[in-house]
Amino acid sequence: MRKSLIAGNWKMYKTPGESVEFVKSLIENVGNHTDRDILVCPPFTSLHAVSRILSKSSIKIGAQNVHFEDEGAFTGEISTKMLIDIGVEYIICGHSERRNIFGESNQIINKKVKKVANAGMKPILCIGEKIEERERRKTFDVLRTQLQESLDGFKDTSLLTIAYEPVWAIGTGKNATPEQAEEVHLFIRSVIEKMFNKNVSDEIQILYGGSVKPDNIDSIMKMQNIDGVLVGGASLKVDSFCRIINYKI
Ligand code: PGA
């Protein structure tokens, strides 16, 4: 049985002070879970303070982006070396906002996921189709290309998590139905099994992301091939994030 992973992507929300208040309250309210991991991904400026508080809990910490070099003249960038030093374990790579607003290509994302794994950290590779691609029935082609190019030469499957986030479902309140997501997760699993030439089912978690909310989490997590969720908006309030963490199947 794969353990599930419930991850919160805070995007560009919360000051360090707000972040600290949030995680203190999360620790008090979240309850004990052995079958699921909990992860928060605050903005860079909150990571250090949040990491100190979470080091006394089982809640994990991730960053939302990283550069693929250790150091250098890269104004405004952050390296894996800096993130490891403050206890960061996961890094979201290739979120659709990075792809579509900041122009990250599969080739750049490929360098990032490899760098993250080489540093012994866990990349969460995000993939997903746009609405016009879905309407043209190109979903599987787009996802296959994103997987093949972003994971070209990637080896350490034990560190890898994949997040399927259809772009049309992110921040729109319009989630994929559990059945739509399940169909895509099965497809992703079959592509990565071919790519890595082995049964990766017990190693690689595949998360769903896109308008996950307290009122749809239970039906999403009932799906056999959905191993967890990457949550944006609904991870910003302790009560809604706790309800998502405490999903019932
Ligand atoms: P959302 O964002 O839950 O607000 O749709 C998900 C994400 O971008 O990871």
Side-chain angles (χ1 to χ4, degrees):
M1 253 300 260
R2 293 180 294 271
K3 219 175 175 184
S4 65
L5 175 64
I6 309 297
N9 170 15
W10 295 2
K11 309 192 179 187
M12 199 172 73
Y13 291 99
K14 296 191 190 297
T15 62
E18 290 164 348
S19 304
V20 164
E21 286 311 306
F22 181 95
V23 285
K24 282 184 179 164
S25 169
L26 183 62
I27 291 170
E28 274 171 27
N29 289 289
V30 75
N32 270 335
H33 297 286
T34 49
D35 62 339
R36 54 198 80 174
D37 283 328
I38 303 158
L39 167 68
V40 291
C41 302
F44 285 129
T45 45
S46 295
L47 285 173
H48 199 187
V50 167
S51 173
R52 282 191 188 182
I53 293 168
L54 292 185
S55 63
K56 299 177 211 96
S57 85
S58 61
I59 301 171
K60 296 163 183 292
I61 184 163
Q64 300 171 20
N65 186 25
V66 75
H67 194 264
F68 49 78
E69 297 287 349
D70 274 336
E71 58 187 13
F74 301 107
T75 301
E77 294 293 328
I78 301 282
S79 72
T80 52
K81 205 172 147 188
M82 297 165 186
L83 295 172
I84 287 178
D85 196 62
I86 55 168
V88 169
E89 182 178 347
Y90 285 83
I91 303 185
I92 299 173
C93 297
H95 188 278
S96 67
E97 286 149 15
R98 302 276 346 148
R99 292 174 185 265
N100 299 327
I101 305 173
F102 301 102
E104 284 189 17
S105 61
N106 287 329
Q107 287 67 31
I108 290 176
I109 295 158
N110 177 248
K111 287 189 190 180
K112 293 187 178 192
V113 288
K114 286 199 280 201
K115 180 72 207 175
V116 171
N118 285 342
M121 302 168 91
K122 298 176 179 168
I124 300 178
L125 170 66
C126 299
I127 58 171
E129 82 285 3
K130 296 180 182 157
I131 189 65
E132 57 274 20
E133 293 164 337
R134 176 161 281 264
E135 282 168 357
R136 282 191 281 118
R137 300 185 187 282
K138 294 282 177 216
T139 299
F140 288 169
D141 293 341
V142 169
L143 297 175
R144 189 188 296 104
T145 303
Q146 288 177 339
L147 286 168
Q148 286 173 341
E149 294 185 358
S150 305
L151 292 173
D152 184 36
F154 186 90
K155 300 225 159 45
D156 207 339
T157 48
S158 67
L159 295 172
L160 181 64
T161 300
I162 292 173
Y164 168 56
E165 299 206 303
V167 180
W168 48 272
I170 295 178
T172 57
K174 195 178 162 205
N175 62 291
T177 64
E179 293 73 22
Q180 277 174 327
E182 172 73 1
E183 182 193 24
V184 173
H185 281 224
L186 259 174
F187 171 76
I188 293 171
R189 208 170 285 292
S190 73
V191 172
I192 53 180
E193 282 182 2
K194 271 192 211 120
M195 280 176 60
F196 293 109
N197 209 9
K198 65 174 176 179
N199 183 344
V200 288
S201 296
D202 289 328
E203 259 180 18
I204 302 182
Q205 290 164 314
I206 307 178
L207 315 182
Y208 168 76
S211 297
V212 174
K213 301 271 184 282
D215 63 6
N216 58 25
I217 183 67
D218 295 345
S219 55
I220 291 170
M221 290 305 295
K222 280 198 179 80
M223 297 291 127
Q224 219 187 335
N225 285 285
I226 299 184
D227 306 318
V229 284
L230 181 55
V231 190
S235 74
L236 294 171
K237 292 240 160 59
V238 173
D239 56 353
S240 63
F241 194 43
C242 280
R243 172 61 187 89
I244 289 171
I245 293 165
N246 293 319
Y247 69 83
K248 301 173 203 70
I249 51 173

